[in-house]
Amino acid sequence: MGTGLISYVFPIYNESGNIALLHQTMSEVVKPLAYDVEFVFVNDGSRDDSLELLIELTRSDPRCRVIDLSRNFGHQLAVTAGVDAARGDAIIIMDSDMQDPPEVSLELIAKWEEGYDVAYAQRRSRQDTAFKKLTADLFYRTLNALSEIEIPRNTGDFRLISRRAADQLAQYREHDRFLRGMISHAGYKQIAVPFDRHARHAGETGYPLRKMLRFAADGIMGFSSKPLQLITRVGYVFSVLALLGILYVLFVRIFFPEVAVAGWAFTVIVILLVGGLQLVMMGIIGSYVGRIYTEVKNRPLYGVQETYGFSAGPGVAGVPTAVEVTASPGTDESEGAATTA
Ligand code: UDP
Ligand code: MG
């Protein structure tokens, strides 16, 4: 494969008890690699002495780089900052609490060498509380039932992405981020690598229930407009029920006038009619809101896996030039065809 650079991105939120072990283990794990390595640590507003420990690392190990965010932005944004800053030909996203076994990253790299753009680690088992397992399972079931794209189950953000997948991901600037969904959405050749997830080494989870719910909402609402379509469906169901109700009211009013209170038929008909109509109208508004949401997210319209036959001529506007194509890993060096530099 020749040489290249592998970037590891570690989001750090109150991980002082894990940083030394993480760095030590990672240093061991990457030893056999034929690539250069960089460790990108993103300090996500830690309140312990994580930052000091990280700065200490940069002094003793030139492979370490630290991005200190201005406050706690949350895991997904911390990872985004790290991926944005990473310079590698492949980027590995990993938790910093030793839950993602460092040696598995070598298997991810092996898949990248085979030509995959995304290698995501998929849990065979996990050491977490029964509550976490149950909620996670429920979440992925709901997500996949609702979502328009396939989001692999039992995966976290532990994964490798190639340079071109990272460049594509960089075009997703939505604020409520659900990275694993975005990476699925981006496409490219993806593959799962099974692994056993460990328990957290030290410290406590930075994902309390509140953040978990928020995260689940980002995943579902970012990748599905089904909740909005639900309004229309419910609207239709209610309209049909309303129609039946109206027929019943008219029936009673005409054939059993002595049972009906004065004004009853009119009142009930209005209520049923307006109720059904309102839901249908809200559904129509909902479908426009859904479209606005899609536009506002401003995701890239498409991703290019590879181009062929572009290297001879000048770059065409909007289409990646030969320079970008030959810069992607796994592609052979071009014979100096494009010399735009
Ligand atoms: N993390 C972060 N910002 C946060 C919460 C967590 O950067 O606001 C980091 C944390 O340091 C860890 C990773 O994200 O490296 C996963 O978090 P955690 O282990 O707390 O989540 P869990 O494994 O319990 O889902
Ligand atoms: Mg964890």
Side-chain angles (χ1 to χ4, degrees):
M1 274 300 288
T3 55
L5 177 69
I6 307 270
S7 303
Y8 281 87
V9 170
F10 299 108
I12 303 277
Y13 180 61
N14 299 342
E15 301 287 11
S16 60
N18 294 317
I19 289 171
L21 178 67
L22 178 68
H23 178 253
Q24 193 188 325
T25 316
M26 283 314 308
S27 301
E28 278 305 313
V29 164
V30 301
K31 259 185 193 152
L33 284 179
Y35 306 99
D36 290 330
V37 168
E38 68 171 3
F39 299 126
V40 180
F41 297 95
V42 183
N43 180 41
D44 185 21
S46 295
R47 276 179 291 226
D48 60 2
D49 56 353
S50 292
L51 179 64
E52 287 68 35
L53 295 175
L54 292 175
I55 293 173
E56 201 55 50
L57 280 185
T58 62
R59 295 213 183 94
S60 61
D61 181 352
R63 297 170 302 181
C64 294
R65 304 166 67 205
V66 175
I67 299 165
D68 183 28
L69 297 184
S70 53
R71 63 170 169 86
N72 176 253
F73 283 91
H75 172 236
Q76 299 285 297
L77 286 169
V79 170
T80 302
V83 172
D84 284 345
R87 300 168 296 191
D89 302 301
I91 299 167
I92 295 166
I93 302 167
M94 246 175 90
D95 280 1
S96 315
D97 55 3
M98 306 300 287
Q99 284 202 282
D100 298 333
E103 62 280 4
V104 174
S105 68
L106 298 183
E107 295 176 48
L108 301 180
I109 293 171
K111 290 295 174 198
W112 172 64
E113 288 170 342
E114 283 174 30
Y116 288 96
D117 285 283
V118 177
Y120 51 86
Q122 190 160 34
R123 291 184 289 267
R124 251 189 312 244
S125 66
R126 72 192 295 186
Q127 309 286 316
D128 267 313
T129 60
F131 177 73
K132 181 120 189 172
K133 284 184 195 167
L134 184 78
T135 48
D137 189 56
L138 208 69
F139 167 63
Y140 277 101
R141 272 173 205 281
T142 321
L143 182 63
N144 270 319
L146 293 178
S147 147
E148 282 114 35
I149 51 160
E150 182 76 29
I151 296 171
R153 305 184 58 172
N154 295 324
T155 61
D157 288 313
F158 184 20
R159 58 190 61 210
L160 175 147
I161 55 178
S162 68
R163 172 45 54 194
R164 71 180 153 196
D167 287 345
Q168 180 72 1
L169 187 67
Q171 294 188 49
Y172 289 68
R173 296 324 279 182
E174 57 210 72
H175 288 231
D176 296 317
R177 296 173 84 75
F178 185 64
L179 282 168
R180 52 200 88 157
M182 286 154 53
I183 293 171
S184 288
H185 188 270
Y188 299 102
K189 276 177 76 180
Q190 311 215 355
I191 190 161
V193 174
F195 80 109
D196 298 299
R197 187 162 158 99
H198 301 159
R200 174 175 258 281
H201 169 67
E204 54 190 47
T205 175
Y207 264 105
L209 186 61
R210 177 178 50 80
K211 277 196 198 170
M212 262 161 60
L213 287 175
R214 164 98 220 208
F215 185 58
D218 286 345
I220 290 170
M221 298 175 103
F223 289 89
S224 170
S225 49
K226 291 239 170 74
L228 282 174
Q229 292 160 13
L230 197 70
I231 302 175
T232 319
R233 299 236 175 96
V234 172
Y236 286 138
V237 170
F238 270 74
S239 298
V240 169
L241 290 179
L243 197 72
L244 294 177
I246 289 167
L247 290 177
Y248 168 75
V249 169
L250 288 175
F251 177 79
V252 172
R253 181 73 190 71
I254 292 165
F255 296 102
F256 304 97
E258 68 281 0
V259 207
V261 186
W264 170 75
F266 180 73
T267 315
V268 172
I269 287 174
V270 168
I271 291 173
L272 291 176
L273 209 66
V274 169
L277 212 65
Q278 251 174 355
L279 275 175
V280 173
M281 292 301 154
M282 263 173 70
I284 293 176
I285 295 178
S287 66
Y288 280 97
V289 171
R291 276 152 214 264
I292 294 169
Y293 183 42
T294 311
E295 292 297 330
V296 166
K297 273 186 289 193
N298 202 15
R299 288 182 181 161
L301 298 178
Y302 56 84
V304 176
Q305 172 98 14
E306 197 73 78
T307 54
Y308 302 92
F310 275 94
S311 47
V316 179
V319 176
T321 63
V323 180
E324 283 168 61
V325 173
T326 50
S328 58
T331 313
D332 290 333
E333 300 283 288
S334 82
E335 295 79 47
T339 45
T340 41

